[in-house]
Amino acid sequence: MPDVPRPPVKDWATDFDHTHPDYAANAPAILAELRETCPVAHTDRFGGAWLPTRHDDVARIAKDHEHFSSQGIIITDWRPEEPAPMGYAPPITSDPPFHAIARRFLLEFFSPKAIDGWEETARTTCRELIAQIKESGEEVVDVATAYAQHIPVRVIADMLDLPREDGDKFRVFIHRILEEPGQNTVDDWGETLDFYLQEKIAERRENLGDDLMSYLIKADIEGMALLDEHVRGTIALLIIAGIDTTWSALGSSLWHLAQNPDHRRRWTEDPAVQPFAIEEFLRFYAPVTMARLVAKDVEIGGCPMHVGDWTLLSFPAANRDPDAFERADEFIIDRQRNRHSAFGLGIHRCIGSNLARMELRVALEEWMAAFPDFELADPDAVTWSTGQVRGPRRMPFRLPH
Amino acid sequence: MKIKYDRDACQGHNRCYMLAPELFDTDDEGYAILLVDGEIPSELEEKARLAADNCPEFAIEVIDD
Ligand code: HEM
Ligand code: SF4
């Protein structure tokens, strides 16, 4: 919860606030209503921001780097000061042409074949967590915190060769950055992600290995080592972008299965449906909404966007647009034609998409094998994150042991 | 049936590789490589359609003869 309560929203079309708890609880309904009534919503909050909800508008913005800059991708009350085209967390905050350079350093580490090598780590993690849940003997377990949240942390910590025990720290950093952007201040520099990474990178420089952090320290652009801000920004991005997102996708998938016994049965009895089910989870519960800063005046859906305005890039809204998907508002577990954009569109396509898909698949396979049947202990006890990454943060399940 | 693959539009979502590994491989950076040159064997036509219809970037097109 934000430290300062957000003022109530008067009207979602003219005063939206995606950091308000009402949005966290009701985002899909709010987005559907806006698409029908006011497909490019606006708010004066955050110094002025737009919210397009049609697939075509979202796709157009994602692919237009002339009018929209990635210099700011998380909406705050102020505008980022780090200069384009690198930004504070390359490549996600970078614009062309620098973007492609920063992105290429990462691609090989996250290709489908490279990610195959991490499947064992993910599976062992899931099995350990499930064993702990079983050993606890508890009938009611918060599966968001006892299971879903740990899986992405372990893999990224191993990829960067950082201690797995630091996972709790990562989650505190991430929570501040994603869920309470600009709403609380950290007085103690020693408690920030930047400080943490500065120390770890300095240590690593003295002791290079073949992990991803060492690779970035050793990398160069035309013979020049990467700037410290670049290395730090990219590693911060990998920690921030990979954890809450995957936690959210997995949590929403389990939340769905808890309430749909027929889908649980289908998953178990018909394994061929699983790859399609995973894509449908990603479409229907797309956890990530991005943002852009307007770099040049432009009109979207008849609305005049001005330099310095924010616009949200709502992949969750695009994914439920009936103009882009048949029966868009229905969860179809074996949907065959599913061009969803949960991982974005265009040049910023999620670098972690192969990793996230693997983690989602392994975590669901292991969970469903251990607990083919489960239900929400109390639907009203489920809480959802606020801000641009949406997923269940507390989710007590009743488990048959 | 033939497949037209647009490398410039491809952003490496890898849906094609997951759905139709007989038709698509991926390179070291995760971009698709079309494996079949010319006519698609008839038993793979449905997979080709599936790959085309799931590519978020519209980088794959199937052309029926
Ligand atoms: C289900 C889980 C995930 C979802 C839904 C997701 C979603 C997204 C989206 C929508 C973007 C596009 C950003 C934009 O257009 O501005 C993105 C970018 C990115 N994601 Fe993910 N992500 C997930 C997991 C991960 C993981 C596990 C990692 C890596 C550890 C990761 C790393 C990145 C990076 C580095 C970028 C920036 C790419 C660029 O700007 O070129 N993500 N993600
Ligand atoms: S699905 Fe489309 S974007 Fe993805 S790798 Fe295949 S061709 Fe490229």
Side-chain angles (χ1 to χ4, degrees):
Chain A
M1 287 304 235
D3 297 345
V4 187
R6 306 289 295 172
V9 172
K10 293 190 289 282
D11 173 2
W12 285 93
T14 56
D15 181 38
F16 76 80
D17 186 344
H18 60 288
T19 66
H20 195 280
D22 286 354
Y23 180 86
N26 303 307
I30 292 168
L31 296 171
E33 160 123 18
L34 287 175
R35 201 185 304 101
E36 293 265 303
T37 56
C38 174
V40 185
H42 185 264
T43 186
D44 288 331
R45 299 179 192 218
F46 318 104
W50 300 91
L51 170 52
T53 46
R54 282 189 299 228
H55 178 278
D56 285 359
D57 290 339
V58 173
R60 190 178 144 198
I61 295 169
K63 292 174 189 217
D64 177 349
H65 313 289
E66 188 192 337
H67 297 97
F68 298 96
S69 167
S70 284
Q71 192 193 3
I73 39 107
I74 297 173
I75 292 191
T76 48
D77 287 335
W78 62 81
R79 303 296 185 261
E81 284 160 15
E82 290 78 0
M86 181 166 106
Y88 58 88
I92 208 165
T93 55
S94 312
D95 290 323
F98 188 80
H99 168 262
I101 298 170
R103 184 174 167 91
R104 275 195 94 169
F105 291 122
L106 302 173
L107 286 173
E108 284 192 30
F109 285 85
F110 290 92
S111 74
K113 288 167 195 168
I115 291 305
D116 285 346
W118 294 101
E119 180 163 338
E120 241 355 88
T121 308
R123 200 172 293 280
T124 311
T125 302
C126 295
R127 289 189 177 162
E128 284 169 11
L129 294 166
I130 288 170
Q132 280 167 20
I133 291 172
K134 291 206 156 165
E135 270 161 36
S136 80
E138 306 269 349
E139 201 188 321
V140 174
V141 175
D142 178 354
V143 176
T145 54
Y147 188 63
Q149 81 174 355
H150 300 288
I151 296 154
V153 176
R154 299 260 177 108
V155 178
I156 199 67
D158 283 10
M159 283 179 90
L160 294 167
D161 197 15
L162 290 170
R164 290 174 166 191
E165 304 79 67
D166 289 354
D168 288 337
K169 278 193 200 152
F170 297 170
R171 280 190 298 272
V172 174
F173 299 141
I174 294 167
H175 181 84
R176 281 195 218 124
I177 294 166
L178 289 181
E179 295 206 25
E180 298 170 6
Q183 290 171 29
N184 58 4
T185 47
V186 181
D187 296 328
D188 190 354
W189 158 244
E191 296 295 307
T192 62
L193 175 57
D194 267 354
F195 177 80
Y196 171 84
L197 289 178
Q198 200 162 304
E199 287 214 308
K200 293 290 170 190
I201 293 168
E203 286 167 26
R204 189 66 49 90
R205 267 187 212 288
E206 304 304 313
N207 195 4
L208 292 169
D210 52 11
D211 57 279
L212 177 48
M213 188 189 293
S214 299
Y215 177 85
L216 289 169
I217 293 171
K218 287 184 272 188
D220 67 273
I221 299 175
E222 292 176 1
M224 301 261 291
L226 306 190
L227 297 175
D228 285 350
E229 305 89 277
H230 182 156
V231 175
R232 200 165 62 231
T234 294
I235 295 171
L237 167 62
L238 293 172
I239 291 175
I240 295 167
I243 296 178
D244 259 31
T245 50
T246 312
W247 173 18
S248 298
L250 177 57
S252 304
S253 307
L254 291 168
W255 181 77
H256 178 96
L257 288 167
Q259 298 168 90
N260 290 278
D262 47 331
H263 290 165
R264 289 201 299 274
R265 213 171 309 117
R266 185 82 189 274
W267 174 280
T268 307
E269 288 171 6
D270 181 9
V273 85
Q274 293 173 8
F276 296 98
I278 288 172
E279 298 307 322
E280 184 67 344
F281 286 133
L282 285 164
R283 180 187 78 88
F284 207 70
Y285 298 106
V288 177
T289 298
M290 277 292 134
R292 296 287 187 261
L293 276 167
V294 178
K296 257 190 204 174
D297 287 2
V298 63
E299 212 174 274
I300 293 286
C303 295
M305 299 190 178
H306 294 296
V307 175
D309 289 353
W310 290 105
T311 178
L312 281 171
L313 206 48
S314 177
F315 299 112
N319 276 350
R320 294 205 196 186
D321 182 346
D323 284 342
F325 297 90
E326 280 172 38
R327 297 158 69 195
D329 58 352
E330 283 175 59
F331 183 96
I332 301 177
I333 192 164
D334 57 355
R335 187 183 286 274
Q336 301 282 304
R337 282 159 173 67
N338 193 350
R339 255 187 244 271
H340 72 78
S341 51
F343 291 112
L345 289 171
I347 62 170
H348 289 278
R349 184 271 306 168
C350 177
I351 283 182
S353 64
N354 301 303
L355 171 59
R357 280 194 168 100
M358 179 276 282
E359 290 177 337
L360 207 51
R361 172 173 57 78
V362 168
L364 288 171
E365 282 169 4
E366 293 297 326
W367 181 267
M368 292 300 289
F371 299 105
D373 268 310
F374 51 94
E375 59 182 10
L376 294 180
D378 170 10
D380 294 332
V382 178
T383 61
W384 295 77
S385 54
T386 54
Q388 288 176 226
V389 177
R390 183 169 185 274
R393 290 293 171 267
R394 224 174 324 129
M395 189 170 64
F397 280 8
R398 188 178 314 284
L399 301 175
H401 276 284
Chain B
M1 179 192 280
K2 290 195 180 64
I3 295 180
K4 223 173 101 196
Y5 161 63
D6 178 352
R7 174 62 179 77
D8 291 336
C10 174
Q11 298 292 350
H13 289 257
N14 298 127
R15 301 293 308 281
C16 53
Y17 172 62
M18 289 171 71
L19 290 163
E22 301 88 342
L23 297 171
F24 294 92
D25 198 359
T26 89
D27 68 16
D28 289 345
E29 296 188 343
Y31 294 97
I33 303 171
L34 178 58
L35 294 174
V36 203
D37 196 14
E39 205 59 28
I40 303 295
S42 55
E43 69 276 13
L44 292 176
E45 285 188 358
E46 183 45 32
K47 286 210 169 181
R49 279 213 181 83
L50 210 52
D53 289 348
N54 283 284
C55 172
E57 308 287 350
F58 293 83
I60 303 169
E61 209 184 319
V62 292
I63 300 156
D64 289 297
D65 339 78

